[in-house]
Amino acid sequence: MKKTVTTLADGRELLYYDSRDDVVRDAVDRRPLDAVSTSSEIRRDPLLGDSVAIASHRQGRTYHPPADECPLCPSRDGRLSEIPDDRYDVVVFENRFPSLAGDSGRCEVVCFTSDHDASFADLTEEQAALVLDAWTDRTAELAGFEQVKQVFCFENRGAEIGVTLGHPHGQIYAYPFVTPRTELMLRSMEAHRERTGGNLFDDIVARELADGDRVVLTGEHWVAFVPYAAHWPYEVHLHPRRRVPDLRELDEGARTEFAQVYLELLRRFDRIFGPGEPPTPYIAAWHQAPFGVRGREEFGVHLELFTIRRTSGKLKFLAGSESGMSVFINDVPPEAAAQRLREVASE
């Protein structure tokens, strides 16, 4: 992997990640951009104890532009975009409309490919491995920021999820606090250790492998399963067999096999609802250990992949119980979801 660091016309950082070492990235951003002005603020909710980012400047962000005006495509044929070069493998840059900025953290955009009409599932194994390298490199660098407590790499895919740019891309949020979901995991992890003496992540993976009903696919280094108490109609958790706290500590075997396993999972997701159905909307979320917390080395990095589509043409809405009380109601038994995801392997 070759990494090239440059800046955009408004001073934001942009990084090219290339699979070849002889690629030269010297294109200049020729857009007449003003310096980025943000008003991101973190407010603490005294009732729930969680944090909310107030970011009014995001009201003006780009919203469903036509394909020929996509800001994530390369700059070519006289049209200038967020990426100055006329081609790229993987690109990461500071978000122009960040939810978190300055002392409040950092937000970055990750473009998986220059092909506007592709999806992550269309990538080759080499391309997917390069994206993993970029996620890992950004985790390592953002870990060195004094204000950053947790790095979250994720992809939102599909208009139903709320995606406003159709180009295949994801984001990285560097939070100045430990997120509520991770706090819950840390508490559960500690309680499990005190109760059993074991590691929660190891024991969950062992239980799913022993049971087998919810396992979707396995490899030498990874295992993917629908969790016992899945919140979403189709939800898969992907764990490395050798537990590590974050992406930086995956060994070469796990890094190599990840591309094969993850691409297969995404392709199965697109076949869940049968032929002729539009691409399955999903969220793919990496859960990494936060920095400077007790028991960090006991945390198990894993990816959670889920869709809000519950059946053909119908979405799973977060209504009263889910939104009002955070109590999920799942219409699809996890064992049935796992069976379907195993079936579509041959379709």
Side-chain angles (χ1 to χ4, degrees), residues 32-327:
L33 298 180
D34 295 328
V36 173
S37 177
T38 63
S39 56
S40 180
E41 176 188 359
I42 301 297
R43 295 187 181 181
R44 188 78 172 169
D45 183 334
L47 188 62
L48 298 179
D50 58 8
S51 298
V52 177
I54 308 297
S56 60
H57 61 277
R58 285 176 52 79
Q59 285 281 33
R61 66 187 183 275
T62 308
Y63 186 80
H64 291 301
D68 60 357
E69 296 179 15
C70 174
L72 306 185
C73 286
S75 293
R76 58 171 63 132
D77 301 326
R79 190 182 69 82
L80 305 178
S81 75
E82 288 280 68
I83 296 92
D85 214 323
D86 61 359
R87 56 188 170 78
Y88 64 83
D89 289 347
V90 175
V91 166
V92 177
F93 60 88
E94 288 185 79
N95 198 322
R96 191 176 180 185
F97 303 97
S99 302
L100 309 167
D103 291 340
S104 297
R106 178 163 162 137
C107 292
E108 300 179 341
V109 176
V110 184
C111 298
F112 304 138
T113 170
S114 58
D115 184 353
H116 179 85
D117 298 317
S119 69
F120 201 117
D122 296 322
L123 301 182
T124 65
E125 290 182 11
E126 181 183 33
Q127 289 174 309
L130 186 60
V131 175
L132 177 60
D133 287 343
W135 284 332
T136 306
D137 180 76
R138 298 314 302 150
T139 297
E141 183 162 336
L142 293 168
F145 285 37
E146 184 178 357
Q147 73 272 32
V148 172
K149 304 302 181 187
Q150 185 174 355
V151 175
F152 176 45
C153 307
F154 65 100
E155 180 192 2
N156 297 331
R157 192 258 201 137
E160 300 94 328
I161 297 294
V163 174
T164 57
L165 296 174
H167 195 103
H169 73 287
Q171 299 182 66
I172 300 174
Y173 277 22
Y175 296 103
F177 51 82
V178 179
T179 62
R181 189 173 177 84
T182 304
E183 289 275 17
L184 287 174
M185 290 184 190
L186 291 170
R187 289 204 293 271
S188 296
M189 182 184 75
E190 184 173 356
H192 182 83
R193 183 183 63 250
E194 292 177 352
R195 185 174 66 254
T196 70
N199 179 273
L200 176 62
F201 296 93
D202 292 345
D203 290 351
I204 286 175
V205 171
R207 170 186 173 178
E208 294 299 340
L209 286 171
D211 185 290
D213 284 350
R214 291 174 296 278
V215 173
V216 175
L217 59 87
T218 61
E220 181 181 354
H221 301 278
W222 295 88
V223 56
F225 56 86
V226 178
Y228 174 75
H231 288 58
W232 298 95
Y234 291 91
E235 174 182 346
V236 175
H237 292 191
L238 178 62
H239 286 250
R241 288 180 181 266
R242 185 179 72 87
R243 173 176 47 82
V244 294
D246 63 38
L247 294 173
R248 297 175 295 178
E249 298 193 36
L250 291 174
D251 60 29
E252 284 306 308
R255 300 184 70 80
T256 299
E257 190 181 78
F258 168 77
Q260 305 162 17
V261 173
Y262 187 48
L263 289 172
E264 174 62 20
L265 270 182
L266 292 180
R267 290 162 186 165
R268 292 191 192 189
F269 254 60
D270 273 343
R271 297 196 291 266
I272 291 173
F273 303 105
E277 287 291 317
T280 301
Y282 65 74
I283 291 175
W286 277 110
H287 292 268
Q288 304 193 81
F291 311 118
V293 298
R294 177 183 174 187
R296 182 180 192 279
E297 292 302 314
E298 296 180 49
F299 194 90
V301 66
H302 63 284
L303 184 143
E304 297 184 4
L305 173 69
F306 62 90
T307 179
I308 62 170
R309 186 179 291 165
R310 59 185 175 87
T311 190
S312 179
K314 297 179 181 178
L315 301 181
K316 163 66 178 176
F317 291 101
L318 299 189
S321 185
E322 290 91 351
S323 295
M325 296 302 282
S326 293
V327 178

